[in-house]
Amino acid sequence: MVKIVAQMLRKLLSALLFSVALASSATLSELLDAVQDIVTKYESDGTAVENPYLYTKVLEYYRYGKLYASYNLYEPAVEMLELAACSAAPVDCNPYRYFVSAVHPTNYSYLRRYYPVLAALVETSYNAYAQWWINKQLGKEEYTEYKHPEFILKEKFLPAWEAFLRVEKKPIYFIIHKELTMPDRFLLFLLRSSKRLGLIKKMVFYGDKGDYLYLLHNGLIDYSVVFKPYNCPYHDFIAVY
């Protein structure tokens, strides 16, 4: 029990130190060092073995931050490092990032329980790729000019995504807001692409007929997606097989 409390205090201290660094306009190098300290602690105190999901998640966000820093892309680098620090805190201060918001809790729980390392890999790579894709769609200059970081993001994401689609308990339910958001559009883009690549055999839309027709007519889903009525005031769902 004492060991667990000590570990939580170290995590909290690391997160607090990182927050102070952000507030004081620390350099990108200093922010990287702060997260590197968290990773090193996990490797030395046994967290890497005892909680491989947490260790892999923080490590991957650190690597994405380091990637962006190598291109002097300050904004995306800081965002990835913030996610690392949040993950290291006793209570994740940003738990519902893109991937967790998109996947039904039942599927996410299964993935975390049986495939913790894969859960961390697909979650972090999905979030990093979604961040880049969304900002590129919004026309932000730093996301439209640089091609190589996007190539690396895809290269890291695709194997984790394919493995997730392969091992996750079927059907996999994805959540779509009735008022479409940019993260929803990213998810629909991924599902269309995965269907074309043969990674998905069948998709079923559960929700309002009007929502289904809107997605269909705007090319966000295709005619192979089966419609089944389902009444939910806030969300529609796409089941993947």
Side-chain angles (χ1 to χ4, degrees):
M1 181 66 179
V2 174
K3 183 179 178 182
I4 294 174
V5 172
Q7 288 175 348
M8 290 181 66
L9 288 174
R10 284 198 295 272
K11 293 176 189 176
L12 179 58
L13 178 60
S14 296
L16 289 174
L17 288 172
F18 189 80
S19 297
V20 170
L22 285 176
S24 61
S25 300
T27 66
L28 202 49
S29 177
E30 289 169 333
L31 300 181
L32 284 164
D33 288 344
V35 177
Q36 175 66 73
D37 288 344
I38 300 174
V39 173
T40 302
K41 281 189 176 74
Y42 285 173
E43 292 171 345
S44 62
D45 67 10
T47 300
V49 176
E50 295 171 5
N51 193 341
Y53 166 78
L54 175 61
Y55 168 71
T56 304
K57 186 175 177 180
V58 174
L59 177 62
E60 288 302 305
Y61 280 137
Y62 167 73
R63 286 171 172 168
Y64 286 118
K66 194 173 181 180
L67 168 67
Y68 293 138
S70 69
Y71 287 88
N72 292 318
L73 295 170
Y74 185 82
E75 180 182 327
V78 168
E79 186 167 353
M80 291 295 105
L81 296 172
E82 283 178 334
L83 287 171
C86 283
S87 302
V91 178
D92 192 336
C93 55
N94 200 344
Y96 300 112
R97 198 64 178 170
Y98 305 123
F99 181 75
V100 178
S101 296
V103 180
H104 193 279
T106 302
N107 293 114
Y108 181 70
S109 296
Y110 178 88
L111 185 66
R112 281 283 305 271
R113 179 178 180 182
Y114 294 105
Y115 303 95
V117 173
L118 175 59
L121 290 173
V122 71
E123 182 179 341
T124 54
S125 62
Y126 184 105
N127 291 342
Y129 187 23
Q131 177 215 36
W132 188 278
W133 188 92
I134 290 168
N135 282 294
K136 184 177 179 180
Q137 295 297 309
L138 296 174
K140 292 191 176 182
E141 185 176 352
E142 59 268 40
Y143 296 92
T144 56
E145 286 188 354
Y146 290 88
K147 302 297 182 184
H148 193 59
E150 184 177 4
F151 172 79
I152 295 174
L153 291 178
K154 291 179 181 179
E155 194 174 49
K156 288 176 68 67
F157 168 72
L158 284 175
W161 177 249
E162 290 177 20
F164 163 64
L165 292 176
R166 184 174 63 253
V167 305
E168 178 62 69
K169 187 177 181 181
K170 305 299 188 297
I172 308 172
Y173 289 99
F174 292 98
I175 302 167
I176 304 291
H177 294 86
K178 286 186 172 291
E179 295 292 333
L180 281 185
T181 64
M182 288 301 291
D184 292 328
R185 292 179 180 274
F186 174 72
L187 171 61
L188 292 167
F189 158 74
L190 286 183
L191 295 179
R192 291 195 310 275
S193 301
S194 299
K195 184 71 163 53
R196 286 196 298 269
L197 291 171
L199 303 177
I200 293 173
K201 295 179 180 178
K202 178 182 177 182
M203 290 196 291
V204 179
F205 178 94
Y206 291 90
D208 179 77
K209 185 64 175 287
D211 295 339
Y212 171 78
L213 292 174
Y214 175 84
L215 296 179
L216 194 63
H217 293 158
N218 284 276
L220 298 174
I221 58 174
D222 61 40
Y223 286 93
S224 68
V225 178
V226 178
F227 169 75
K228 290 192 178 181
Y230 184 79
N231 184 24
C232 179
Y234 305 110
H235 303 104
D236 297 311
F237 301 88
I238 293 181
V240 164
Y241 297 84

